[in-house]
Amino acid sequence: MSSTTRNQHDLLPAGPAGPAGPEAAGPAQPPSVTALLHAASVRYADRTALISSRATLTHRELGARVTGLARRIADAGAGPGSRVAVCAEPGWEHVVGALAVLWTGATYVPVPPDLNRAARWQRLAVVGADVAVTQPWLRERMDWHADVTVLTVDGADSPDAAGPVEPPFAHGGTLALIGAPESGTVPLSLSAAAVARTVEDVNRRLGLTCEDRLLGVTPLAGERALYDMLGPLTAGGALVLPDDIDLRNPAAWVALAAGHAVTAWSATPTLTRMFLDFAEGAGGTLPVPPRRYAISGEPLPRATAERLRALAGPDGRVLYLGEGADPGIWATCMPVGDLDEDWGWVPLGGPLAHREVRVLSDSLARCPVWVTGRVHHDDPDASDPDGPLLPSGYLGRELPTGIIEFAGDRAARIWLNERPLNLLDVELALWRHASVAAAVVVSPTGTGTVAHVKPEPDAAISGEELRAYLRRMVSPYLLPERVELVLDFPTTPDGRVDRAALASSAPPAPRPGTGADTPVTAPAPDAELLERAASVASRLLGVSPIEPHMNLLDLGATSVDLVRLATVVEEELGIVVDMPELLQFPSLAVLVSGHSTRDADTTDTTDTPDTPDTASASVAHPSAVPATDDVLHRLQDRQAFKNRRLGLRHDLDDAEGIDLAPEHTERIALRRTVRRFGSGPVPAAAFGALLAALRETDTGDGPHRAYPSAGGAYPVQVYAVVKAGAVDGLPGGCYYHHPVRNRLIPLTPAHALHPEDHHEVNRAVAERAGFALHLVGRTQAVTPLYGELADQFAAYEAGAIGQLLMTLAAEHGIGLCPVAGVRPGALVGALDLAVGDVVLHTLLGGPAPDTGGDAQ
């Protein structure tokens, strides 16, 4: 398990300074959980505490039953330091059993009642529990090991329900062991202090009081079940429990919520969506929906969060709580209010009270703001305050506000051809489709992905239509091979989507063009052809040797390099390359596997003469391109289209004209787009000379620069983002080029050049680059002059600046690559941009390459 020490880094803000505001503050040393429960049983003695089909108990009655069972547990020899199993179906009995164990100071271990005898006996042996608490019918129905003392929960535990409730016997250090152990492992232990702090903090943030009733739909073995019991009961409220048969029945949930005036809900996003579907369509049977929501366990889609906010109303509260370890006590909290437009998933937020959370890189260094890393948290049970940090299952990036933005979940991440793919990116694109109610993407075989989609009621949509939609929304690497429509998704016992079950139930996805029954087996590539293709790739990419199944993107290739490689291979080896397949699985084996030559390819119509009608139409109207939304993918089709040169006026090819002098300056001849840069840093003088071309001078007629600007407004600003050591004498970070003073102004916070700021197609170039020049349009500097034309004029100016820099770069020994598509919002905080500022254009740069083979 990865770890780092906490004193090596600054802490994320917590308490009043954190993103959750003043609600995050809490007492430094809260009382124990059992002390909170005892205080509630005394203060709210006659208020309802527990509602189930078999019994309804007040706080006094619940306390009396807990006390009576705790005496019997203690008489069986259990107490502080020992472990007691609770094996019960949902109902008042499982709550009494769990609380009674806590009352004795022993550690409570949930054992699911659906385990077979061997698994149940093994769990008891692994955790060392020699006392078990269960229900009368389960004791009779199940086989129990002879060494285990089995106690049942029944009404005999409360002979004097009207009397005072006895105080807890002891305050144990370990409250519970949560999670199903595998062979030879021990479940995660939760300390009494950590649970007490979490319960009090979440209750405070939710505003939970004695007036609230929470519907508990989480089985006993999950950490949410602890909060379901302790949250409302310590606040003096009530817990409403469905029967075992209704634990996954949303219609029963709605009926219970309406019949018992439920005001609070705690569950996973998956169960919450099911509840919302029934609550919103309940036809008036739920007149007052819950107003307090604690959601956790999975990434929370923005769509579900917005539905929750609408159901909760203006006075309601919605919290998204993130686990530290899986499973484990919560570590982060995000109050759901107005969500940023860029957030498809609700952020993880900031740390709960008395918790510490950081985003760390693979080397365990703290990631700067906006940089994606793995979210780590403190160990709430550790005695050493400077102990190790533990990795969570989440990926995130810290924003300048201190909020941790959600960036991925390792449960939804796969590796394909040694390339990590975040399946949540595909799910998010599907969630945003108007006909999609929910979506989950899995990899059945590890060689492709399948999307499972639950459509909106009455939506007329097909899997093929959704896949065509995804072609325009996600990278080719992420495009599922199939989209299947489902009624709903399988869930784990604690209410998460069971991705493993989905993956195992789905048949292997066939490759496009094969039948569903056709085995998916790639033909073995021809060894001689593969060797020749490797030689071509080594020459073009400047890397050798290249293994057949090596991911070419990991070698620094971009999608542009792949297209160029396919073009050269086609020209030199006579191969027709499946370009979409190569983009999705970039390797030499895919490049040449299943190849066909031009002569053998019966689908290649590049050299087929046009019919007379088509030919005459092409000559008379060369711009008459068939209307279609499809992008050309086959290499020969793309090349044939480019060969038509539709950007030229072919009707004037033979017209008379005036010849111009063939002047061609050396500066223009040196202009190149560079995608692979030379070695070493850029000299400071060269970098300064390049940016000096943008300086402003006063010629006597007003400010003047070396590029045109509408009305001389000059609304385009230039920012440099520099990697450490990439430019001699210039520290890594962000800079504003002040054109009047002709100097770089350091900005705060510092921000290095990160490939994640760019869309995937440009990340390989960004990885190799030493700096980026971002051209940012400030429309407020030109809109009052030109109104709706302001955006157009700012874009013109950015183009002129880009051309000026591209023309001058080579003579200073600098290579530049113009790119578009910076991730929205990635630079707002880093560059301290104003509202309305737009990144119009970006040039990635570094030392010019030693040879011309990497420029064009």
Side-chain angles (χ1 to χ4, degrees):
M1 178 175 287
S2 301
S3 64
T4 186
T5 53
R6 170 175 341 172
N7 55 10
Q8 293 174 339
H9 306 285
D10 297 329
L11 302 181
L12 288 176
E23 291 184 355
Q29 293 182 339
S32 68
V33 167
T34 48
L36 293 173
L37 288 168
H38 180 259
S41 67
V42 174
R43 182 177 180 184
Y44 306 105
D46 296 323
R47 297 188 67 91
T48 300
L50 198 58
I51 300 172
S52 72
S53 63
R54 293 188 292 273
T56 296
L57 305 176
T58 65
H59 279 274
R60 179 186 288 112
E61 292 168 338
L62 175 63
R65 279 177 165 78
V66 168
T67 299
L69 181 58
R71 289 197 202 100
R72 290 201 286 137
I73 294 174
D75 291 342
S82 61
R83 295 170 178 178
V84 178
V86 177
C87 180
E89 294 173 349
W92 68 269
E93 300 92 348
H94 91 252
V95 176
V96 169
L99 298 184
V101 174
L102 304 184
W103 223 256
T104 67
T107 298
Y108 142 72
V109 183
V111 177
D114 55 354
L115 292 179
N116 59 39
R117 184 179 71 171
R120 186 170 64 257
W121 285 18
Q122 180 189 28
R123 183 179 181 103
L124 293 174
V126 167
V127 301
D130 52 11
V131 176
V133 175
T134 188
Q135 291 152 319
W137 59 90
L138 292 182
R139 178 174 184 174
E140 298 299 326
R141 193 169 71 205
M142 294 179 174
D143 292 330
W144 298 92
H145 195 281
D147 294 336
V148 176
T149 301
V150 182
L151 305 176
T152 58
V153 184
D154 51 47
D157 292 318
S158 55
D160 185 13
V165 179
E166 295 180 19
F169 299 172
H171 299 163
T174 300
L175 180 76
L177 298 183
I178 295 294
E182 298 176 358
S183 178
T185 64
V186 177
L188 182 75
S189 64
L190 301 178
S191 73
V195 173
R197 287 170 175 168
T198 301
V199 168
E200 283 206 310
D201 193 20
V202 173
N203 278 358
R204 180 170 49 253
R205 293 173 188 252
L206 274 180
L208 211 65
T209 70
C210 62
E211 302 292 335
D212 286 299
R213 292 181 171 184
L214 186 144
L215 182 62
V217 297
T218 302
L220 199 57
E223 75 283 350
R224 273 180 305 282
L226 272 178
Y227 178 76
D228 289 357
M229 291 187 292
L230 301 177
L233 295 181
T234 57
L239 174 62
V240 180
L241 296 170
D243 289 333
D244 181 51
I245 195 173
D246 291 328
L247 198 60
R248 286 293 177 271
N249 184 356
W253 300 343
V254 172
L256 286 170
H260 298 291
V262 167
T263 61
W265 170 268
S266 170
T268 63
T270 297
L271 298 187
T272 300
R273 176 183 53 78
M274 295 166 61
F275 175 72
L276 288 172
D277 290 343
F278 277 81
E280 293 169 352
T285 60
L286 188 60
V288 181
R291 61 182 184 273
R292 309 189 192 284
Y293 297 89
I295 312 301
S296 62
E298 298 172 297
L300 177 59
R302 177 195 183 98
T304 303
E306 290 176 340
R307 293 172 68 189
L308 278 176
R309 285 293 305 162
L311 194 65
D315 297 328
R317 298 190 185 187
V318 181
L319 300 182
Y320 176 51
L321 300 156
E323 281 93 347
D326 187 13
I329 196 94
W330 295 320
T332 60
C333 176
M334 179 68 187
V336 178
D338 294 332
L339 299 175
D340 191 286
E341 291 296 330
D342 293 335
W343 290 338
W345 305 97
V346 173
L348 298 175
L352 286 166
H354 308 286
R355 296 305 304 268
E356 297 165 8
V357 180
R358 290 188 215 104
V359 180
L360 304 180
S361 67
D362 290 340
S363 63
L364 300 181
R366 184 171 181 183
C367 295
V369 294
W370 299 108
V371 177
T372 300
R374 191 170 182 182
V375 178
H376 287 64
H377 65 96
D378 63 319
D379 182 353
D381 298 331
S383 57
D384 181 6
D386 293 325
L389 293 176
L390 307 177
S392 74
Y394 293 140
L395 303 175
R397 45 184 164 260
E398 184 185 349
L399 305 184
T401 58
I403 287 176
I404 298 178
E405 186 179 41
F406 179 81
D409 183 354
R410 296 209 165 202
R413 194 183 193 204
I414 65 170
W415 288 81
L416 199 59
N417 287 0
E418 301 180 355
R419 179 182 182 81
L421 299 182
N422 183 13
L423 301 183
L424 292 180
D425 289 343
V426 187
E427 293 180 16
L428 181 57
L430 288 167
W431 274 92
R432 287 173 169 166
H433 193 285
S435 297
V436 173
V440 178
V441 182
V442 296
S443 176
T445 63
T447 59
T449 59
V450 176
H452 299 262
V453 171
K454 179 184 179 181
E456 289 284 358
D458 302 323
I461 194 73
S462 69
E464 283 304 314
E465 289 173 321
L466 288 173
R467 192 171 185 274
Y469 157 80
L470 284 175
R471 284 186 180 275
R472 304 189 298 270
M473 303 298 293
V474 301
S475 162
Y477 301 105
L478 292 172
L479 185 66
E481 297 185 12
R482 189 170 69 253
V483 177
E484 293 187 352
L485 303 184
V486 298
L487 294 176
D488 221 317
F489 311 109
T491 58
T492 61
D494 67 344
R496 311 173 199 230
V497 171
D498 194 336
R499 294 178 178 272
L502 270 180
S504 62
S505 65
R511 292 175 183 262
T514 66
D517 298 328
T518 304
V520 183
T521 55
D526 181 272
E528 180 182 356
L529 192 61
L530 189 60
E531 184 178 352
R532 295 171 64 191
S535 176
V536 174
S538 296
R539 184 177 80 241
L540 294 180
L541 302 179
V543 178
S544 181
I546 303 178
E547 297 296 328
H549 296 283
M550 187 175 290
N551 190 327
L552 298 178
L553 295 179
D554 292 340
L555 300 179
T558 67
S559 61
V560 175
D561 295 327
L562 294 179
V563 172
R564 182 169 56 164
L565 173 61
T567 303
V568 175
V569 165
E570 180 171 307
E571 291 174 351
E572 296 187 6
L573 307 184
I575 293 177
V576 176
V577 178
D578 187 339
M579 199 61 214
E581 184 79 356
L582 179 63
L583 287 173
Q584 189 170 9
F585 304 102
S587 69
L588 293 181
V590 171
L591 180 73
V592 302
S593 65
H595 72 89
S596 60
T597 63
R598 288 194 186 88
D599 295 336
D601 187 4
T602 58
T603 64
D604 184 3
T605 59
T606 306
D607 298 326
T608 303
D610 292 330
T611 62
D613 290 342
T614 304
S616 60
S618 298
V619 173
H621 304 287
S623 61
V625 181
T628 176
D629 292 331
D630 293 335
V631 176
L632 297 176
H633 290 291
R634 295 176 71 243
L635 197 62
Q636 60 269 32
D637 293 340
R638 296 172 65 89
Q639 190 59 48
F641 178 82
K642 290 189 290 184
N643 290 343
R644 294 174 66 185
R645 305 293 302 279
L646 297 183
L648 297 177
R649 284 284 304 272
H650 291 289
D651 57 324
L652 300 179
D653 284 350
D654 299 324
E656 294 293 331
I658 302 170
D659 292 335
L660 300 177
E663 185 67 25
H664 196 229
T665 65
E666 181 180 356
R667 174 177 287 176
I668 295 176
L670 291 175
R671 185 208 174 280
R672 289 287 186 275
T673 294
V674 174
R675 294 184 175 85
R676 297 181 68 87
F677 304 97
S679 58
V682 172
F687 190 70
L690 178 65
L691 292 180
L694 307 178
R695 68 186 183 278
E696 182 174 296
T697 59
D698 193 341
T699 60
D701 297 328
H704 175 76
R705 302 184 195 176
Y707 53 87
S709 177
Y714 297 112
V716 178
Q717 303 167 339
V718 178
Y719 295 84
V721 180
V722 183
K723 287 182 180 177
V727 178
D728 268 340
L730 189 63
C734 296
Y735 299 86
Y736 165 65
H737 177 254
H738 198 300
V740 178
R741 302 170 66 190
N742 190 32
R743 63 174 53 186
L744 290 175
I745 310 299
L747 298 176
T748 302
H751 183 82
L753 173 58
H754 301 297
E756 292 84 359
D757 291 346
H758 302 267
H759 287 312
E760 188 168 5
V761 69
N762 296 318
R763 288 179 183 172
V765 181
E767 184 70 42
R768 294 189 291 263
F771 63 86
L773 301 178
H774 298 289
L775 312 186
V776 177
R778 175 157 290 182
T779 54
Q780 66 186 27
V782 68
T783 300
L785 300 178
Y786 296 103
E788 62 183 15
L789 294 176
D791 291 344
Q792 227 174 310
F793 289 159
Y796 293 159
E797 183 173 325
I801 294 174
Q803 180 61 21
L804 175 62
L805 294 174
M806 290 288 296
T807 303
L808 298 177
E811 66 183 59
H812 296 300
I814 294 175
L816 294 177
C817 179
V819 298
V822 173
R823 184 174 60 82
L827 301 173
V828 173
L831 303 183
D832 193 24
L833 300 181
V835 175
D837 288 357
V838 179
V839 180
L840 300 172
H841 193 44
T842 296
L843 297 108
L844 298 170
D850 299 330
T851 64
D854 297 309
Q856 68 179 34

